[in-house]
Amino acid sequence: MTLPATSEASSSSVRPDRAASLPLGRLLVRTPGALPILTFVAILLVWEGATRLFGVPSYVLPAPSRIATGFDAVSIERWSTHVWSTLRVALMGYFISIVVALPLAVLLTRSEVVNKALYPILVVIQSTPVVAVAPIIIVVLGSGDAPRVVITFLIAFFPLVVSTATGMLATPRELIELSRSLRAPAWREITQIRLPFAIPYIFSALKISITLAVIGAVVAEFVAADTGLGFFIQFSTSMFRLPEAWAGLGLLVLLSLILFQLVTVAQRAFFPWSLPRSPR
Amino acid sequence: MPADLAPAPGPAATPASIRFDRVGQIFDTETGPLEALRDVTFAIDRHEFVAVLGPSGCGKSTLLRIIAGLIAPTAGQVEVFGLPVTRPRDDIGIVFQKPTLLPWANVEDNVVFPIRHTRGRVGSADRERARKLLSMVGLEGFERRLPDELSGGMQQRVGIARALLMDPDILLMDEPFSALDALTREEMGFELLRIWEARPKTVLFITHSISEAVLLADRVLVMGARPGTIVEDDIVPLPRPRGLETTKNAVMHDFAGHLRSLLLKRAA
């Protein structure tokens, strides 16, 4: 440890990752967030350099510095209106997905009749390209938040249903037998055994669905909206203000990332036992 | 009044703990009917420790699940304490092959789980009993640990404490130590005997280990496979209490040899 230069050869023979045993590599690996941020900065630098070097026009690919000025061209108030509009629809669709999907998954696993009757319909809904249905939904439900929330819901709920049902059916047989041998009420078998056992599955789906919810909100805005990041990107593109469109896209990605991280943090905070533990 | 007219209290008057009368079990499977048990008849006395020994797939676990009231036999009669088994009973505890604890609950919460599961809430008296049971199975100080942080043997101790929580009269054990390493397995066997001697219970202990059956049980039922039937019913000729010295006993080796030849003959 005190002589990294000489110990490097011996330690790298046991460790597969040679860079991690160099002092700088070790520092980077140990500092949380250091490596992804460095990678990101490197990509931005290459991007900036390449667009300048090859003179790429900004409507093809604006340099990061041009995107920054595009971001500046729009007031913070307008940005926050767009962000809030998209966020609101995504979150509403997401929460409705959860509220619908969990009971639905319970029903699907409890009753053979419900399973046989509903599951094919769910698959049909999932197989229907929501993007194609979106204009119809807008016509039917008008131009408020409602149609956009419905579109978001349709895109986000299916993984939740399938994962929750799978998790509930993956409960060890012995625990179900224990529950039956205790003659406990059936609803406690669900709340105290099956649903908790499905938590890791539910969180996998929650992570997928939150990003799908953002996609759903944007798709809805593409079809009919006068606000929101999806609307803004489409509008800016049609006005040939590409740097602004890229700035909107950047915010959208950031929004998605933050929401995804919030789900991850919630899992770590409330269900630490459900995190995967095996070494990579 | 002559004493022999009134039912005298005590073991003589109590009906057998568990009684099987020509029990058969046929399962409907996708490949057709599967006969798991045929014509199984035996009786187990109160506080008797009986081992069921047999090759895998001989219907040992089916036998246990029938007693637990989890499956209804397709033929014959099953009685527990003189009453036909129609559904699970309160006075039966089950220890499974895998400890199958709740991964999100700590050791103490896992032990009191049967109470939370049936009554919805857990009182301080229940927790007190759980802690006593945990110290009895040698897990004092581990109450707040998660199952994940325990070894396989410790997890199975938690499973045993959980099965003992309701102080059942009958303890059903489905190859409880088969997932453990040989040393831990032997140690757990002696531990179980100690618990059983402190709190006598009727124990039905399913195993495929001859030495485990001989070392622990008063009586060994040997099962043959396909369909599962009882092929031998022997009293274990070893004195109690049993311990490490018992394993060196010549009688034990003779008896184990007798069971082994029986199982090998069936397999051949």
Side-chain angles (χ1 to χ4, degrees):
Chain A
M1 281 300 162
T2 47
L3 293 168
T6 49
S7 68
E8 190 242 325
S10 59
S11 66
S12 65
S13 63
V14 261
R15 271 175 165 213
D17 197 346
R18 201 184 174 90
S21 61
L22 291 164
L24 181 65
R26 206 180 295 154
L27 183 75
L28 285 176
V29 168
R30 285 190 189 164
T31 315
L35 271 180
I37 288 171
L38 244 126
T39 314
F40 185 67
V41 169
I43 290 172
L44 285 184
L45 286 175
V46 170
W47 183 352
E48 183 79 40
T51 43
R52 280 168 191 243
L53 188 66
F54 302 115
V56 181
S58 76
Y59 59 85
V60 174
L61 181 68
S65 56
R66 282 287 290 122
I67 296 174
T69 48
F71 180 81
D72 245 8
V74 180
S75 72
I76 291 296
E77 289 75 34
R78 279 190 59 215
W79 276 128
S80 38
T81 312
H82 291 310
V83 168
W84 170 238
S85 182
T86 304
L87 181 66
R88 190 180 63 223
V89 170
L91 286 183
M92 280 196 282
Y94 186 57
F95 286 121
I96 293 173
S97 297
I98 297 171
V99 170
V100 171
L102 295 194
L104 194 60
V106 171
L107 273 177
L108 286 174
T109 53
R110 295 311 292 178
S111 150
E112 189 85 2
V113 178
V114 175
N115 190 5
K116 290 227 163 90
L118 279 187
Y119 197 70
I121 296 175
L122 291 180
V123 174
V124 169
I125 293 176
Q126 174 64 12
S127 309
T128 312
V130 178
V131 185
V133 188
I136 302 173
I137 294 173
I138 303 270
V139 170
V140 173
L141 291 175
S143 60
D145 271 353
R148 285 186 267 159
V149 172
V150 168
I151 291 165
T152 305
F153 161 79
L154 285 177
I155 287 186
F157 92 106
F158 193 73
L160 274 167
V161 176
V162 174
S163 280
T164 308
T166 307
M168 288 180 68
L169 293 177
T171 309
R173 173 190 162 170
E174 288 88 348
L175 277 171
I176 299 308
E177 289 188 332
L178 176 69
S179 174
R180 306 251 156 103
S181 77
L182 292 166
R183 283 185 286 129
W187 62 269
R188 275 210 195 111
E189 180 189 309
I190 297 170
T191 56
Q192 293 187 345
I193 298 178
R194 287 196 189 264
L195 273 178
F197 252 100
I199 289 280
Y201 295 81
I202 294 174
F203 266 95
S204 299
L206 283 173
K207 287 177 197 163
I208 295 167
S209 285
I210 191 70
T211 54
L212 287 179
V214 175
I215 292 175
V218 169
V219 163
E221 285 165 6
F222 278 175
V223 178
D226 47 15
T227 175
L229 286 171
F231 160 79
F232 177 83
I233 291 168
Q234 204 183 31
F235 177 78
S236 305
T237 314
S238 65
M239 295 282 122
F240 242 64
R241 292 206 284 257
L242 267 298
E244 285 175 35
W246 276 85
L249 179 67
L251 275 181
L252 202 52
V253 172
L254 196 65
L255 182 70
S256 235
L257 283 175
I258 290 170
L259 291 174
F260 182 88
Q261 276 306 312
L262 283 178
V263 178
T264 311
V265 167
Q267 181 178 16
R268 207 171 291 154
F270 298 115
F271 308 99
W273 56 269
S274 71
L275 295 164
R277 247 172 270 251
S278 63
R280 62 184 64 227
Chain B
M1 196 208 252
D4 55 357
L5 285 185
T14 47
S17 266
I18 302 167
R19 184 189 297 280
F20 269 51
D21 188 15
R22 283 163 295 147
V23 170
Q25 179 74 54
I26 298 172
F27 288 115
D28 282 324
T29 66
E30 279 169 25
T31 51
L34 179 85
E35 191 173 15
L37 295 176
R38 179 189 288 177
D39 214 21
V40 174
T41 299
F42 64 87
I44 297 177
D45 283 338
R46 190 152 186 262
H47 295 174
E48 201 173 12
F49 194 132
V50 174
V52 178
L53 186 63
S56 40
C58 73
K60 302 184 299 258
S61 293
T62 306
L63 196 82
L64 180 139
R65 283 173 172 80
I66 289 176
I67 301 169
L70 292 167
I71 26 182
T74 46
Q77 290 288 319
V78 181
E79 285 178 6
V80 170
F81 292 122
L83 294 170
V85 176
T86 51
R87 55 176 192 163
R89 299 170 57 104
D90 288 336
D91 47 7
I92 291 181
I94 309 175
V95 179
F96 298 99
Q97 183 171 3
K98 286 178 281 169
T100 45
L101 306 173
L102 308 174
W104 56 87
N106 67 33
V107 166
E108 188 181 305
D109 287 336
N110 262 292
V111 175
V112 296
F113 177 72
I115 287 185
R116 184 188 301 286
H117 201 51
T118 46
R119 294 178 208 159
R121 52 192 190 83
V122 178
S124 56
D126 304 320
R127 294 200 167 272
E128 188 50 43
R129 198 162 69 250
R131 281 194 287 271
K132 278 205 186 104
L133 282 169
L134 281 171
S135 87
M136 186 170 83
V137 298
L139 284 178
E140 209 170 350
F142 288 91
E143 293 85 354
R144 301 270 160 259
R145 299 292 190 90
L146 288 177
D148 206 74
E149 303 169 306
L150 305 182
S151 68
M154 288 159 101
Q155 289 187 24
Q156 195 54 286
R157 284 165 201 260
V158 179
I160 292 172
R162 179 177 68 187
L164 292 174
L165 181 74
M166 307 284 219
D167 201 20
D169 290 314
I170 297 174
L171 195 57
L172 303 176
M173 307 184 86
D174 189 2
E175 304 192 26
F177 307 144
S178 63
L180 307 177
D181 64 88
L183 272 176
T184 315
R185 185 173 188 157
E186 204 169 71
E187 194 188 323
M188 292 286 287
F190 291 131
E191 193 100 338
L192 177 65
L193 281 184
R194 195 174 56 71
I195 293 167
W196 175 71
E197 272 148 21
R199 298 184 168 203
K201 295 182 186 313
T202 308
V203 180
L204 188 94
F205 188 98
I206 287 175
T207 179
H208 54 238
S209 156
I210 294 171
S211 56
E212 198 173 58
V214 173
L215 196 58
L216 300 180
D218 296 319
R219 219 170 109 203
V220 179
L221 301 177
V222 181
M223 287 185 76
R226 273 175 281 271
T229 47
I230 307 262
V231 296
E232 182 93 357
D233 184 346
D234 285 331
I235 304 275
V236 180
L238 288 169
R240 294 210 185 259
R242 296 182 195 158
L244 211 58
E245 3 12 282
T246 318
T247 56
K248 301 180 198 114
N249 191 322
V251 178
M252 165 157 175
H253 284 276
D254 290 349
F255 186 67
H258 156 71
L259 293 177
R260 187 168 291 113
S261 62
L262 208 68
L263 284 169
L264 286 174
K265 211 186 327 168
R266 299 283 313 175

